[in-house]
Amino acid sequence: MLIPLLSPDRAVDVCFAIRDPARLLSSAFGQVMMGGDVVTPEVFKSESSLGAVNWVYVITRLRAKPGVNQLTVWRCEDYTAMFPQICDPLLGSCDVAVTPLPDAAHCGMSCMAVARTLEAAAQGTPASAAVRQAWPVDPGNPPYNAFTPGEADLSQEF
């Protein structure tokens, strides 16, 4: 771990955002697709199940690491609402005004971009990363979600 290199003489505070498993895996699916490894959502989900995303395990391992002092965890989906509380442990009392980013810096793939990529792969034509730019996530073209409403509900419980 980097703690001994970054702070050899004292413990560090760690701030960590966790993400809804279904959203995390849908995003990972898009990253796989943009990387040129086109697989169907079914194949991806069979290899990357919701239950495999175990934040309790990750946080427990982080807490057990020598050199970890305070550990602050928040849900990524609560970032904007929790922004002031998130900044407190990150910045301490430095009196710097910081505002959250208005939108996600990386929106992933839209439903249409995923559909076009799968269509191109079925025809034997490699789809380039330009497909994401051609069909960006916007109000008329929502982000791709690989999971059913029931799976999304279960993911929220996780």
Side-chain angles (χ1 to χ4, degrees):
M1 200 164 189
L2 290 174
I3 293 172
L5 298 172
L6 298 175
S7 184
D9 58 336
R10 62 178 208 201
V12 298
D13 293 338
V14 177
C15 297
F16 189 75
I18 62 173
R19 196 158 180 207
D20 174 282
R23 291 183 184 191
L24 173 71
L25 292 175
S26 288
S27 177
F29 173 72
Q31 293 301 308
V32 167
M33 300 279 276
M34 286 190 295
D37 189 11
V38 179
V39 296
T40 66
E42 295 76 25
V43 168
F44 181 83
K45 287 169 51 176
S46 73
E47 296 172 357
S48 307
S49 70
L50 286 174
V53 180
N54 186 337
W55 291 123
V56 172
Y57 174 74
V58 173
I59 298 302
T60 302
R61 288 192 61 207
L62 278 172
R63 280 301 302 145
K65 291 291 180 188
V68 173
N69 186 26
Q70 181 176 334
L71 177 62
T72 302
V73 180
W74 66 91
R75 287 182 348 137
C76 184
E77 291 79 13
D78 296 334
Y79 171 76
T80 302
M82 298 291 299
F83 189 76
Q85 294 92 330
I86 292 167
C87 285
D88 285 346
L90 284 170
L91 301 175
S93 60
C94 69
D95 295 326
V96 174
V98 180
T99 56
L101 296 172
D103 293 311
H106 179 70
C107 295
M109 290 182 76
S110 69
C111 292
M112 185 60 75
V114 168
R116 295 288 190 233
T117 301
L118 292 171
E119 287 170 8
Q123 296 171 1
T125 306
S128 69
V131 74
R132 179 174 167 224
Q133 293 175 348
W135 291 281
V137 172
D138 61 30
N141 200 13
Y144 181 75
N145 180 0
F147 296 90
T148 67
E151 290 170 324
D153 290 344
L154 180 61
S155 179
Q156 286 287 316
E157 289 181 33
F158 290 164

